[in-house]
Amino acid sequence: EEVLQFRQFGVEPTVIPGVSAAFSAPLLASIPVTHRGISNQVVMCTGYGKNNTSPDLIQYHPEQTVVFLMAVGRLRKLCDSLIHQAGYPPQTPVGIVERAGCPEQRTVVGTMESIADLAERFNVRPPSTIVVGEVVNVLLTEEDFVEVVNIKVEQGGLLESDGVVDSEERGGMIVKSGHHGLIV
């Protein structure tokens, strides 16, 4: 899309290949997209199709990881459709990696039925990469999770917390960033 846009202005851009956020963002959050015995296939999807339509749904398979790019704006509708039309169990793990590779990187982890509420609660914004499947729980340990308390929104829409509490419920947690040492 970007190449075509540049061409409309008479500019022929040089495309330099890189690693897609579909692969790099999850791994920066300790979420592998494949893992022997857990996920043997990866499907990459966009959150928005042509003319703002929804993409075709990927039917549930227990050994599959689905990575959604540019989908955080329609997360609730996406999860509802995946549960009711594509056969995903409501307890399917979901991780959202926000601002991957940046100092403000954070990861919110929940389930198919809880992640939209968590994204709203923690004010998750683009750019974010959404990972769906059992791989979300492969490398993360209980020590990686913290619950954010006394949340307030600071300038720029980022969250700030003045403490953490333990929580036994993994249905909605923010993951501490091992790369940047930040909770939010």
Side-chain angles (χ1 to χ4, degrees):
E1 294 171 4
E2 290 83 359
V3 169
L4 296 175
Q5 187 70 36
F6 275 107
R7 286 179 179 165
Q8 286 181 353
F9 293 105
V11 176
E12 185 61 36
T14 300
V15 177
I16 301 171
V19 177
S20 170
F23 299 107
S24 62
L27 201 49
L28 283 169
S30 296
I31 301 172
V33 292
T34 61
H35 188 83
R36 198 176 326 268
I38 303 293
S39 176
N40 58 25
Q41 54 185 291
V42 180
V43 179
M44 184 172 40
C45 303
T46 181
Y48 292 87
K50 189 173 185 176
N51 298 322
N52 210 25
T53 60
S54 292
D56 291 339
L57 295 175
I58 304 302
Q59 295 299 308
Y60 176 73
H61 185 283
E63 291 186 12
Q64 170 179 274
T65 302
V66 182
V67 180
F68 290 95
L69 303 173
M70 303 176 293
V72 75
R74 59 170 40 152
L75 182 60
R76 186 171 304 281
K77 180 180 179 186
L78 178 65
C79 289
D80 185 62
S81 295
L82 288 170
I83 291 170
H84 294 100
Q85 297 172 24
Y88 282 74
Q91 294 303 311
T92 302
V94 180
I96 303 174
V97 185
E98 181 183 46
R99 299 179 187 210
C102 296
E104 304 86 18
Q105 175 183 320
R106 63 184 178 155
T107 304
V108 178
V109 173
T111 64
M112 191 68 70
E113 64 184 355
S114 69
I115 197 67
D117 289 335
L118 292 166
E120 284 181 19
R121 176 181 176 196
F122 295 118
N123 197 29
V124 174
R125 298 286 176 249
S128 294
T129 302
I130 301 167
V131 185
V132 177
E134 295 298 326
V135 293
V136 171
N137 293 326
V138 168
L139 297 180
L140 297 174
T141 66
E142 290 299 321
E143 290 78 37
D144 292 319
F145 292 91
V146 295
E147 179 73 34
V148 177
V149 295
N150 297 326
I151 300 168
K152 69 177 185 177
V153 177
E154 62 180 22
Q155 187 174 14
L158 296 178
L159 296 175
E160 180 179 85
S161 158
D162 64 1
V164 297
V165 295
D166 292 327
S167 173
E168 295 180 12
E169 153 182 41
R170 294 231 356 224
M173 305 296 280
I174 281 193
V175 178
K176 293 184 277 188
S177 169
H179 299 283
H180 304 293
L182 301 174
I183 297 169
V184 293

